[in-house]
Amino acid sequence: MSLSDQQKQDKHKQRQQKVKDNVDQKIAQAQIEKGLLLVITGNGKGKSTSGFGTVARAVGHGKKCAVAQFIKGTWDNGERNLLEKLGVEFHVMATGFTWETQDKSADTAAAQQVWQQCLKLLQDETLDVILFDELTYMVSYGYIELEEVIAALEARPAMQSVIITGRGAHRRLIELADTVSEVKNIKHAFESGVKALKGVDW
C-alpha cells in the first residue's frame, strides 16, 4: 500500500526534525572560542582557491587578513589583484615555481625570506586570518623546518586563525590542525590538453 501525500510529508518532517535536533545539539555543545588552524591538502585542484575563499569571507566580515604565497609568486594572481585593494597584506616568494628555478639554495633563501615575514604575522594580535598558500611544499622540500613552523603556530595569538594549503601536508600539521580537508583529483582539464584559463584556473 502506498503512502498518502500527508504520510510522506509527516515522515519527511520527522526526518528533518531529527537532523535539526542533532545540529542544535552540536551547536549547543560547541562552546570553545579560539582561532582555528585549517589545513587544505590533497592532490586535487582547489586548495588555494578554498584558502582564498576563506580570506575573502573574513574580509567581508571586516576581519584583518594577510597572505603569504610560496611557489606561485611570479604569476599574475587574480586573488591578489582583488584582495590587496581591500587591505590584505601579501608576502610572495620571489622565485615562483621551484621546478622552474631548479636552484635549491636560491629557493631556500627565497622561502626563508617569506617565512621571516610569516613569523611576524604569527605574532601580530591584530591579524584575524592568515593564509600560508603552498607552505606544505616548503616543509617537504626542507626549505623551512617543520619544528619551527609548529612552534610558531602553537605560539600565535589565541584568536588568530591560520590556513595552510598544499599537497602532502606533514602528519604533524594534520594532527595539530583543528580542521583538515583533502581535495581529491577526479578529473582535470589540463590532463586532457586544455590550456589553463585565466580567471578560472588562475
Side-chain angles (χ1 to χ4, degrees):
M1 184 176 67
S2 62
L3 296 174
S4 68
D5 289 343
Q6 183 60 51
Q7 287 173 318
K8 289 178 182 177
Q9 186 173 337
D10 289 345
K11 281 187 172 294
H12 175 75
K13 187 175 181 180
Q14 289 171 5
R15 284 195 301 269
Q16 293 306 105
Q17 185 62 49
K18 286 181 181 179
V19 172
K20 181 183 184 305
D21 290 344
N22 287 335
V23 172
D24 288 346
Q25 183 179 8
K26 289 179 181 178
I27 291 172
Q29 291 173 344
Q31 296 299 315
I32 300 170
E33 290 190 30
K34 66 167 194 167
L36 299 175
L37 174 60
L38 295 86
V39 171
I40 307 168
T41 191
N43 66 354
K45 171 180 165 50
K47 297 180 291 295
S48 296
T49 302
S50 178
F52 276 113
T54 304
V55 171
R57 173 187 291 156
V59 171
H61 284 295
K63 303 292 186 181
K64 186 177 178 183
C65 303
V67 175
Q69 276 192 291
F70 300 91
I71 294 184
K72 295 178 182 173
T74 58
W75 276 32
D76 182 28
N77 185 296
E79 295 94 341
R80 183 179 182 185
N81 293 343
L82 173 67
L83 292 170
E84 275 191 329
K85 295 174 185 175
L86 299 174
V88 176
E89 177 183 350
F90 271 73
H91 299 279
V92 181
M93 184 169 158
T95 58
F97 283 97
T98 55
W99 50 86
E100 287 183 355
T101 64
Q102 298 176 4
D103 185 336
K104 184 169 183 176
S105 60
D107 286 341
T108 301
Q112 280 295 322
Q113 186 175 5
V114 176
W115 177 241
Q116 294 310 306
Q117 296 301 317
C118 293
L119 290 173
K120 294 178 183 177
L121 299 177
L122 288 167
Q123 296 171 2
D124 187 345
E125 294 186 357
T126 70
L127 280 172
D128 299 297
V129 179
I130 306 171
L131 169 60
F132 293 149
D133 187 34
E134 315 284 14
L135 176 63
T136 61
Y137 292 98
M138 302 300 101
V139 173
S140 297
Y141 296 163
Y143 299 165
I144 300 172
E145 290 295 326
L146 173 65
E147 295 299 335
E148 189 176 353
V149 172
I150 290 174
L153 290 170
E154 290 181 329
R156 74 187 194 278
M159 290 306 298
Q160 187 183 82
S161 293
V162 175
I163 309 155
I164 296 174
T165 69
R167 294 186 181 204
H170 195 282
R171 62 174 178 78
R172 297 273 305 282
L173 291 175
I174 290 174
E175 290 167 0
L176 184 64
D178 299 287
T179 300
V180 180
S181 297
E182 183 177 10
V183 182
K184 184 178 179 181
N185 187 38
I186 303 296
K187 188 177 183 181
H188 198 302
F190 183 71
E191 301 298 331
S192 300
V194 180
K195 188 175 181 179
L197 184 62
K198 185 176 184 179
V200 176
D201 288 307
W202 57 279

